[in-house]
Amino acid sequence: MTTLIPVLGDQLSLDLPSLAGVDRADAVVLMAEVEEEATYVRHHKRKIAYLFSAMRHFADELRALGWTVEYVTLEEPDNSGSFTGEVARAAERHQPSAIRVTEPGEWRLRAEFDAWPDKFEAAVTVLQDTRYLCSHARFAAWADGRNQLIMEFFYREMRRETGVLMDGKQPEGGQWNYDKQNRKPPKDGLTAPDLPAFRPDAITRDVLALVERRFADHPGSLANFGIAVTRADALKAQEWFLDQRLAKFGDWQDAMVTGEPFLYHAVLSFYINAGLLDPIALCREVEARYRDGRCPLNAAEGFIRQVIGWREYMRGIYWFTGPDYSQRNHLGASRPLPSFYYDGRTDMACLADAIGNTLAHAYAHHIQRLMITGNFALIAGLDPIAVQAWYLEVYADAYEWVECPNTLGMILYGDGGLLGSKPYAASGNYIDRMSDYCGGCRYDVTKKMGEPDACPFNALYWDFLARNEDKLRGNHRLRNPYATWDRMGDNRKAAIRGGAADFLDSLVGAG
Ligand code: FAD
Ligand code: DLZ
Ligand code: SF4
């Protein structure tokens, strides 16, 4: 009568539905480090090390709670190399009568799980992942029949349903959204308190050696690894964010400063997405700090919007649109990813900083992902498949359910506006306003005409609009930029487009 409970690397939560209500005395939890999950894209070394160590610690946590856990390490000689292969081997060993699993975070694995009933004799149950606020059915009920899926309206429903930051039926403070108070340009010398670092224990040290040995050709560095790998330490990181950074989160949410990889961001997405932290409990803590007068409303609302708004919305879009969503390419972009995405070697100071952070920490904060690497990918017309693979590889919080809609929908406009009403394209001007990058750059952000030292973002921005005119001119939110473009003389237009073409020709592909 044994129940087999396979648990994936991003399901490290005691609240997992597949664990709920099961007799521990008659169940086997299966966890497996497998080549297929570790290499279906070339994940950043830090991401693999974090997940393997967190998985090993979670297995120990479950054992301490009385569960029987079978843990298959990557180098175990009989390791089949795939998750389904390991379920098959465990089914051979235990002849379970039931297999209970929580749905995975990617269509790729969902297709595999859906084939299990034909493959295994045991009764297979795939349970909805209750770690999210919004079920697939709930999102579909909201989304069905709408031409555009506007996050703000979805977010308001989540606020109403949870009662978070509500004052009766009204939003706390009278407004739903304090986004306008989340855009302060950085002031000179803006710094943030250092992140807490968690010293690697023996389990983590073993995993670091394993990753160095087996994934040497994957991007990124393992130096100074300090990511929390247990729930207890992730909770310490959460507490530290609430105490040290939350109050200023709202003000500096969109700011970028050279050499400050984290600023006032939470740096909690690794833990939330892998199951070590509960996002809803975290939002309630944030609300409590606001109600106690320990953080302003623009910080509390700004943070809660990211978690019960953007995060839930992105997941809803991913499952609502189906497995083909990631293949869309509305703008027909096809340029290979430049090599500097993998080594950070570029004279563009903004890209060098954002990519340098990424390779060092498997992290970049949101505005770097959106307005630096993302904006460049959009206006340079990079191939959406290559861009998605890069974002999935290099961030320790990346799983397709959250990476794909952010990349394809939010930055690349690959879905033609289902998710955003206009592309997030910006010239160097925006980057100059929101960062200190341009002061230390060999390019001149004030130059636009295609001179050798003109900021490449400037020519690329106009070139992007001109290149995609047939698809974008009709967008009423782009009326002003197109009106400006129209007012430019032919010589100026030709100089800008020539500058963009020269720059694009000079890029070396990563392949
Ligand atoms: P904070 O800025 O402190 O925000 C708090 C929390 O809000 C985050 O921990 C996260 O859980 C949530 N959040 C904020 N913005 C988003 C968003 N747009 N979508 C989903 N959740 C959000 N986030 C991922 O978790 N995984 C990804 O693979 C991922 N890929 C991205 C790709 C692109 C192109 C862009 C523009 C954004 C991506 N994001 C992704 C969203 C966001 O950048 C990260 O969640 C955030 O940078 C994580 O750092 P933090 O914990 O310091 O977040
Ligand atoms: C990301 C990842 C990696 C690198 N390795 C494993 C692994 O060896 N075993 C495992 O169970 N999960 C791993 N994961 C997480 C999965 O890829 C993740 O569960 C799916 O992408 C679904 O979100
Ligand atoms: Fe980036 Fe242009 Fe500023 Fe250089 S000048 S940092 S390339 S925006």
Side-chain angles (χ1 to χ4, degrees):
M1 290 297 287
T2 305
T3 300
L4 181 66
I5 310 179
V7 171
L8 281 160
D10 57 352
Q11 298 182 335
L12 311 181
S13 164
L14 298 175
D15 297 328
L16 213 57
S18 43
L19 296 174
V22 175
D23 177 6
R24 289 173 204 198
D26 202 15
V28 174
V29 174
L30 172 72
M31 299 179 68
E33 296 167 6
V34 290
E35 189 78 16
E36 196 167 279
E37 292 310 306
T39 58
Y40 75 94
V41 291
R42 286 192 322 140
H43 300 287
H44 196 298
K45 293 191 191 87
R46 238 176 170 76
K47 177 179 183 183
I48 303 179
Y50 158 62
L51 273 187
F52 281 9
S53 181
M55 285 169 68
R56 291 181 187 198
H57 283 92
F58 184 66
D60 286 346
E61 189 180 0
L62 287 176
R63 286 186 189 111
L65 291 169
W67 292 94
T68 301
V69 182
E70 282 194 359
Y71 191 98
V72 184
T73 59
L74 188 78
E75 293 188 323
E76 189 177 304
D78 293 333
N79 189 325
S80 63
S82 79
F83 198 69
T84 297
E86 285 314 291
V87 175
R89 286 207 312 132
E92 276 295 310
R93 286 193 298 274
H94 297 285
Q95 301 293 319
S97 55
I99 299 177
R100 270 169 75 83
V101 69
T102 302
E103 61 175 329
E106 306 195 349
W107 282 109
R108 175 183 63 85
L109 280 177
R110 178 75 217 203
E112 278 193 31
F113 285 21
D114 286 347
W116 286 2
D118 292 336
K119 194 173 171 65
F120 301 123
E121 303 231 319
V124 176
T125 312
V126 181
L127 296 150
Q128 284 235 4
D129 195 336
T130 48
R131 293 176 296 159
Y132 300 90
L133 272 180
C134 185
S135 68
H136 305 319
R138 171 74 187 84
F139 191 87
W142 174 76
D144 263 333
R146 293 175 194 246
N147 287 337
Q148 243 194 357
L149 303 178
I150 310 231
M151 198 294 289
E152 179 64 24
F153 299 133
F154 171 80
Y155 167 54
R156 291 179 190 181
E157 296 209 3
M158 294 299 106
R159 288 272 294 280
R160 286 195 197 94
E161 278 176 23
T162 54
V164 171
L165 278 187
M166 294 298 290
D167 178 7
K169 289 193 170 159
Q170 297 307 312
E172 180 67 22
Q175 275 171 246
W176 288 102
N177 184 317
Y178 293 85
D179 194 25
K180 291 204 174 74
Q181 295 173 37
N182 296 147
R183 298 182 195 149
K184 256 190 174 176
K187 56 184 185 200
D188 277 350
L190 178 67
T191 56
D194 285 339
L195 269 192
F198 298 89
R199 191 191 290 261
D201 64 4
I203 293 178
T204 302
R205 288 197 299 275
D206 276 356
V207 164
L208 290 170
L210 168 77
V211 172
E212 206 59 276
R213 200 166 57 241
R214 293 290 300 267
F215 304 104
D217 61 335
H218 283 219
S221 152
L222 287 172
N224 304 317
F225 184 93
I227 305 177
V229 290
T230 62
R231 180 175 329 283
D233 281 349
L235 280 166
K236 282 186 202 155
Q238 171 174 311
E239 213 48 30
W240 182 90
F241 164 67
L242 294 169
D243 290 343
Q244 305 283 327
R245 290 187 185 210
L246 171 64
K248 294 192 180 168
F249 174 85
D251 285 355
W252 305 118
Q253 202 174 326
D254 281 3
M256 296 174 278
V257 175
T258 311
E260 285 287 338
F262 312 110
L263 277 175
Y264 285 88
H265 292 271
V267 198
L268 294 177
S269 50
F270 311 158
Y271 312 130
I272 297 173
N273 292 353
L276 296 184
L277 292 180
D278 174 351
I280 317 305
L282 169 58
C283 287
R284 301 232 180 254
E285 287 283 334
V286 168
E287 179 177 18
R289 304 264 164 159
Y290 161 72
R291 302 247 178 237
D292 291 353
R294 284 186 283 170
C295 80
L297 186 53
N298 76 328
E301 189 281 319
F303 187 84
I304 286 167
R305 183 177 354 114
Q306 305 313 311
V307 180
I308 68 171
W310 282 109
R311 183 170 184 273
E312 293 282 339
Y313 167 82
M314 288 300 180
R315 177 172 183 267
I317 298 266
Y318 178 74
W319 292 107
F320 179 70
T321 50
D324 296 340
Y325 182 75
S326 65
Q327 308 300 308
R328 296 190 197 178
N329 187 358
H330 178 69
L331 298 178
S334 61
R335 188 169 295 281
L337 203 73
S339 59
F340 61 70
Y341 272 77
Y342 283 106
D343 59 24
R345 279 193 228 126
T346 163
D347 287 343
M348 292 177 277
C350 51
L351 279 157
D353 189 65
I355 294 169
N357 292 341
T358 301
L359 297 173
H361 304 289
Y363 176 89
H365 61 71
H366 181 68
I367 209 69
Q368 292 174 318
R369 298 188 205 193
L370 182 68
M371 297 311 293
I372 305 295
T373 44
N375 179 30
F376 184 87
L378 172 71
I379 62 181
L382 304 187
D383 170 13
I385 297 290
V387 179
Q388 287 179 80
W390 184 80
Y391 276 97
L392 197 52
E393 285 171 358
V394 295
Y395 293 114
D397 57 24
Y399 305 92
E400 200 182 64
W401 68 265
V402 54
E403 170 279 321
C404 162
N406 268 296
T407 307
L408 187 87
M410 179 129 76
I411 67 168
L412 295 179
Y413 202 68
D415 61 11
L418 178 76
L419 188 152
S421 54
K422 75 172 178 71
Y424 270 94
S427 67
N429 205 13
Y430 171 89
I431 296 171
D432 193 30
R433 187 167 70 251
M434 295 310 297
S435 78
D436 67 353
Y437 290 141
C438 301
C441 185
R442 98 146 173 84
Y443 293 106
D444 184 340
V445 73
T446 64
K447 292 194 178 160
K448 300 179 173 57
M449 287 286 290
E451 304 94 317
D453 64 340
C455 165
F457 280 82
N458 292 336
L460 286 179
Y461 173 76
W462 293 114
D463 189 56
F464 167 76
L465 289 178
R467 207 184 320 132
N468 293 295
E469 191 165 358
D470 56 332
K471 305 252 173 56
L472 299 179
R473 189 181 269 279
N475 184 320
H476 72 279
R477 296 196 61 200
L478 294 174
R479 202 178 295 142
N480 287 343
Y482 275 112
T484 308
W485 176 245
D486 291 343
R487 281 195 299 275
M488 291 183 200
D490 286 347
N491 288 348
R492 189 172 164 85
K493 282 182 177 169
I496 288 174
R497 295 212 65 185
D502 289 347
F503 173 81
L504 289 172
D505 285 348
S506 74
L507 295 175
V508 176

mmCIF file of all heavy atoms in Angstrom, residues 6 15 24 82 91 95 128 173 194 203 211 228 262 312 338 346 350 361 364 403 418 430 441 449 456 480:
data_model
loop_
_atom_site.group_PDB
_atom_site.id
_atom_site.type_symbol
_atom_site.label_atom_id
_atom_site.label_comp_id
_atom_site.label_asym_id
_atom_site.label_seq_id
_atom_site.Cartn_x
_atom_site.Cartn_y
_atom_site.Cartn_z
ATOM 1 N N PRO A 6 7.169 11.721 -5.224
ATOM 2 C CA PRO A 6 8.331 12.392 -5.820
ATOM 3 C C PRO A 6 8.264 13.906 -5.547
ATOM 4 O O PRO A 6 7.203 14.519 -5.683
ATOM 5 C CB PRO A 6 8.168 12.119 -7.324
ATOM 6 C CG PRO A 6 7.114 11.056 -7.443
ATOM 7 C CD PRO A 6 6.242 11.218 -6.250
ATOM 8 N N ASP A 15 4.592 22.460 3.239
ATOM 9 C CA ASP A 15 3.164 22.631 2.924
ATOM 10 C C ASP A 15 2.778 22.040 1.571
ATOM 11 O O ASP A 15 1.678 22.293 1.064
ATOM 12 C CB ASP A 15 2.805 24.131 2.900
ATOM 13 C CG ASP A 15 3.011 24.759 4.256
ATOM 14 O OD1 ASP A 15 2.813 24.050 5.251
ATOM 15 O OD2 ASP A 15 3.401 25.942 4.313
ATOM 16 N N ARG A 24 2.752 8.883 7.109
ATOM 17 C CA ARG A 24 4.211 8.862 6.945
ATOM 18 C C ARG A 24 4.789 7.455 7.067
ATOM 19 O O ARG A 24 5.838 7.155 6.489
ATOM 20 C CB ARG A 24 4.878 9.736 8.012
ATOM 21 C CG ARG A 24 4.636 11.179 7.769
ATOM 22 C CD ARG A 24 5.130 12.058 8.875
ATOM 23 N NE ARG A 24 4.343 13.284 8.769
ATOM 24 C CZ ARG A 24 4.662 14.434 9.301
ATOM 25 N NH1 ARG A 24 5.761 14.553 10.017
ATOM 26 N NH2 ARG A 24 3.898 15.477 9.135
ATOM 27 N N SER A 82 17.192 11.118 -15.332
ATOM 28 C CA SER A 82 15.975 11.918 -15.516
ATOM 29 C C SER A 82 15.030 11.709 -14.333
ATOM 30 O O SER A 82 15.098 10.679 -13.647
ATOM 31 C CB SER A 82 15.256 11.547 -16.816
ATOM 32 O OG SER A 82 14.521 10.352 -16.631
ATOM 33 N N ALA A 91 9.710 3.018 -8.357
ATOM 34 C CA ALA A 91 8.491 2.204 -8.466
ATOM 35 C C ALA A 91 8.859 0.717 -8.519
ATOM 36 O O ALA A 91 8.173 -0.133 -7.940
ATOM 37 C CB ALA A 91 7.693 2.619 -9.699
ATOM 38 N N GLN A 95 7.188 -0.943 -5.499
ATOM 39 C CA GLN A 95 5.875 -1.387 -5.992
ATOM 40 C C GLN A 95 4.748 -0.594 -5.306
ATOM 41 O O GLN A 95 3.863 -1.162 -4.654
ATOM 42 C CB GLN A 95 5.686 -2.890 -5.720
ATOM 43 C CG GLN A 95 6.737 -3.763 -6.380
ATOM 44 C CD GLN A 95 6.617 -3.740 -7.908
ATOM 45 O OE1 GLN A 95 5.524 -3.768 -8.460
ATOM 46 N NE2 GLN A 95 7.748 -3.645 -8.607
ATOM 47 N N GLN A 128 -2.688 20.072 -7.719
ATOM 48 C CA GLN A 128 -2.444 21.513 -7.954
ATOM 49 C C GLN A 128 -1.534 22.046 -6.865
ATOM 50 O O GLN A 128 -1.682 21.668 -5.697
ATOM 51 C CB GLN A 128 -3.764 22.267 -7.856
ATOM 52 C CG GLN A 128 -4.612 22.068 -9.066
ATOM 53 C CD GLN A 128 -5.019 23.388 -9.712
ATOM 54 O OE1 GLN A 128 -4.603 24.460 -9.292
ATOM 55 N NE2 GLN A 128 -5.821 23.302 -10.733
ATOM 56 N N GLY A 173 -5.006 53.534 2.268
ATOM 57 C CA GLY A 173 -4.466 54.823 1.808
ATOM 58 C C GLY A 173 -5.277 55.441 0.684
ATOM 59 O O GLY A 173 -4.952 56.540 0.221
ATOM 60 N N ASP A 194 25.067 45.565 3.592
ATOM 61 C CA ASP A 194 25.489 44.301 2.967
ATOM 62 C C ASP A 194 24.479 43.195 3.243
ATOM 63 O O ASP A 194 23.861 43.170 4.301
ATOM 64 C CB ASP A 194 26.835 43.850 3.541
ATOM 65 C CG ASP A 194 27.972 44.684 2.979
ATOM 66 O OD1 ASP A 194 27.777 45.295 1.910
ATOM 67 O OD2 ASP A 194 29.032 44.732 3.629
ATOM 68 N N ILE A 203 27.613 19.860 3.923
ATOM 69 C CA ILE A 203 26.773 19.446 2.774
ATOM 70 C C ILE A 203 26.999 20.395 1.604
ATOM 71 O O ILE A 203 27.212 19.987 0.460
ATOM 72 C CB ILE A 203 25.278 19.428 3.184
ATOM 73 C CG1 ILE A 203 25.025 18.326 4.209
ATOM 74 C CG2 ILE A 203 24.383 19.269 1.965
ATOM 75 C CD1 ILE A 203 23.587 18.253 4.721
ATOM 76 N N VAL A 211 29.687 20.497 -8.144
ATOM 77 C CA VAL A 211 29.303 21.385 -9.256
ATOM 78 C C VAL A 211 30.549 21.838 -10.011
ATOM 79 O O VAL A 211 30.569 21.859 -11.251
ATOM 80 C CB VAL A 211 28.487 22.587 -8.728
ATOM 81 C CG1 VAL A 211 28.251 23.617 -9.824
ATOM 82 C CG2 VAL A 211 27.156 22.104 -8.152
ATOM 83 N N ALA A 228 21.494 31.066 1.464
ATOM 84 C CA ALA A 228 20.903 30.178 2.475
ATOM 85 C C ALA A 228 20.413 28.900 1.791
ATOM 86 O O ALA A 228 19.886 28.953 0.682
ATOM 87 C CB ALA A 228 19.734 30.874 3.160
ATOM 88 N N PHE A 262 22.481 44.697 -5.093
ATOM 89 C CA PHE A 262 21.194 44.345 -4.457
ATOM 90 C C PHE A 262 20.366 45.555 -4.045
ATOM 91 O O PHE A 262 19.158 45.447 -3.884
ATOM 92 C CB PHE A 262 21.452 43.463 -3.229
ATOM 93 C CG PHE A 262 22.393 42.324 -3.501
ATOM 94 C CD1 PHE A 262 23.681 42.293 -2.958
ATOM 95 C CD2 PHE A 262 22.013 41.286 -4.340
ATOM 96 C CE1 PHE A 262 24.548 41.250 -3.228
ATOM 97 C CE2 PHE A 262 22.882 40.232 -4.619
ATOM 98 C CZ PHE A 262 24.162 40.219 -4.057
ATOM 99 N N GLU A 312 2.090 36.285 -9.131
ATOM 100 C CA GLU A 312 0.934 35.422 -9.395
ATOM 101 C C GLU A 312 0.436 35.608 -10.833
ATOM 102 O O GLU A 312 -0.005 34.650 -11.484
ATOM 103 C CB GLU A 312 -0.206 35.756 -8.414
ATOM 104 C CG GLU A 312 0.093 35.409 -6.976
ATOM 105 C CD GLU A 312 -0.058 33.916 -6.670
ATOM 106 O OE1 GLU A 312 -0.744 33.203 -7.421
ATOM 107 O OE2 GLU A 312 0.543 33.473 -5.663
ATOM 108 N N PRO A 338 24.668 38.305 -28.109
ATOM 109 C CA PRO A 338 26.100 38.666 -28.146
ATOM 110 C C PRO A 338 26.889 37.940 -27.051
ATOM 111 O O PRO A 338 26.350 37.633 -25.979
ATOM 112 C CB PRO A 338 26.094 40.172 -27.875
ATOM 113 C CG PRO A 338 24.699 40.628 -28.097
ATOM 114 C CD PRO A 338 23.817 39.452 -27.831
ATOM 115 N N THR A 346 32.056 44.168 -22.215
ATOM 116 C CA THR A 346 31.550 45.183 -23.134
ATOM 117 C C THR A 346 31.908 46.546 -22.566
ATOM 118 O O THR A 346 32.018 46.690 -21.345
ATOM 119 C CB THR A 346 30.019 45.077 -23.319
ATOM 120 O OG1 THR A 346 29.543 46.311 -23.893
ATOM 121 C CG2 THR A 346 29.269 44.874 -22.013
ATOM 122 N N CYS A 350 26.599 50.022 -18.332
ATOM 123 C CA CYS A 350 25.356 49.510 -17.726
ATOM 124 C C CYS A 350 25.260 47.996 -17.911
ATOM 125 O O CYS A 350 24.962 47.260 -16.967
ATOM 126 C CB CYS A 350 24.150 50.223 -18.345
ATOM 127 S SG CYS A 350 24.131 50.228 -20.148
ATOM 128 N N HIS A 361 26.647 36.514 -8.973
ATOM 129 C CA HIS A 361 25.688 36.187 -7.909
ATOM 130 C C HIS A 361 24.495 35.339 -8.356
ATOM 131 O O HIS A 361 23.646 35.020 -7.522
ATOM 132 C CB HIS A 361 25.120 37.491 -7.310
ATOM 133 C CG HIS A 361 26.173 38.427 -6.808
ATOM 134 N ND1 HIS A 361 26.918 38.164 -5.679
ATOM 135 C CD2 HIS A 361 26.623 39.610 -7.290
ATOM 136 C CE1 HIS A 361 27.782 39.158 -5.483
ATOM 137 N NE2 HIS A 361 27.629 40.045 -6.444
ATOM 138 N N ALA A 364 20.345 39.503 -10.509
ATOM 139 C CA ALA A 364 20.396 40.935 -10.843
ATOM 140 C C ALA A 364 19.041 41.446 -10.404
ATOM 141 O O ALA A 364 18.060 40.689 -10.411
ATOM 142 C CB ALA A 364 20.596 41.162 -12.333
ATOM 143 N N GLU A 403 10.088 32.849 -15.545
ATOM 144 C CA GLU A 403 11.053 33.459 -16.478
ATOM 145 C C GLU A 403 10.412 33.781 -17.827
ATOM 146 O O GLU A 403 10.592 34.876 -18.368
ATOM 147 C CB GLU A 403 12.261 32.513 -16.633
ATOM 148 C CG GLU A 403 13.218 32.887 -17.745
ATOM 149 C CD GLU A 403 12.737 32.430 -19.107
ATOM 150 O OE1 GLU A 403 12.170 31.316 -19.242
ATOM 151 O OE2 GLU A 403 12.898 33.224 -20.047
ATOM 152 N N LEU A 418 -0.073 41.014 -25.429
ATOM 153 C CA LEU A 418 -1.035 40.360 -24.525
ATOM 154 C C LEU A 418 -0.783 40.823 -23.089
ATOM 155 O O LEU A 418 -1.692 41.083 -22.314
ATOM 156 C CB LEU A 418 -0.858 38.839 -24.616
ATOM 157 C CG LEU A 418 -1.747 38.024 -23.692
ATOM 158 C CD1 LEU A 418 -3.168 37.984 -24.230
ATOM 159 C CD2 LEU A 418 -1.225 36.593 -23.529
ATOM 160 N N TYR A 430 16.843 57.212 -20.342
ATOM 161 C CA TYR A 430 16.201 56.570 -19.181
ATOM 162 C C TYR A 430 17.275 55.997 -18.250
ATOM 163 O O TYR A 430 17.232 56.168 -17.028
ATOM 164 C CB TYR A 430 15.244 55.445 -19.642
ATOM 165 C CG TYR A 430 14.736 54.635 -18.464
ATOM 166 C CD1 TYR A 430 13.579 55.007 -17.789
ATOM 167 C CD2 TYR A 430 15.456 53.524 -17.988
ATOM 168 C CE1 TYR A 430 13.142 54.299 -16.673
ATOM 169 C CE2 TYR A 430 15.022 52.814 -16.881
ATOM 170 C CZ TYR A 430 13.865 53.200 -16.238
ATOM 171 O OH TYR A 430 13.451 52.505 -15.125
ATOM 172 N N CYS A 441 31.071 55.604 -18.231
ATOM 173 C CA CYS A 441 31.010 54.794 -19.466
ATOM 174 C C CYS A 441 31.844 55.440 -20.561
ATOM 175 O O CYS A 441 31.939 56.661 -20.653
ATOM 176 C CB CYS A 441 29.558 54.703 -19.937
ATOM 177 S SG CYS A 441 29.321 53.635 -21.364
ATOM 178 N N MET A 449 23.723 60.626 -32.723
ATOM 179 C CA MET A 449 23.736 60.676 -34.179
ATOM 180 C C MET A 449 24.505 59.565 -34.869
ATOM 181 O O MET A 449 24.663 59.573 -36.069
ATOM 182 C CB MET A 449 24.342 62.011 -34.614
ATOM 183 C CG MET A 449 23.425 63.181 -34.379
ATOM 184 S SD MET A 449 22.087 63.195 -35.569
ATOM 185 C CE MET A 449 22.972 63.620 -37.063
ATOM 186 N N PRO A 456 25.147 53.489 -27.611
ATOM 187 C CA PRO A 456 24.453 52.584 -28.542
ATOM 188 C C PRO A 456 22.952 52.483 -28.276
ATOM 189 O O PRO A 456 22.167 52.247 -29.202
ATOM 190 C CB PRO A 456 25.139 51.237 -28.300
ATOM 191 C CG PRO A 456 26.473 51.576 -27.729
ATOM 192 C CD PRO A 456 26.289 52.831 -26.931
ATOM 193 N N ASN A 480 3.825 59.508 -29.492
ATOM 194 C CA ASN A 480 4.824 60.575 -29.312
ATOM 195 C C ASN A 480 6.190 60.208 -29.888
ATOM 196 O O ASN A 480 6.767 60.996 -30.640
ATOM 197 C CB ASN A 480 4.952 60.972 -27.840
ATOM 198 C CG ASN A 480 3.736 61.760 -27.400
ATOM 199 O OD1 ASN A 480 2.977 62.263 -28.241
ATOM 200 N ND2 ASN A 480 3.515 61.845 -26.098
#
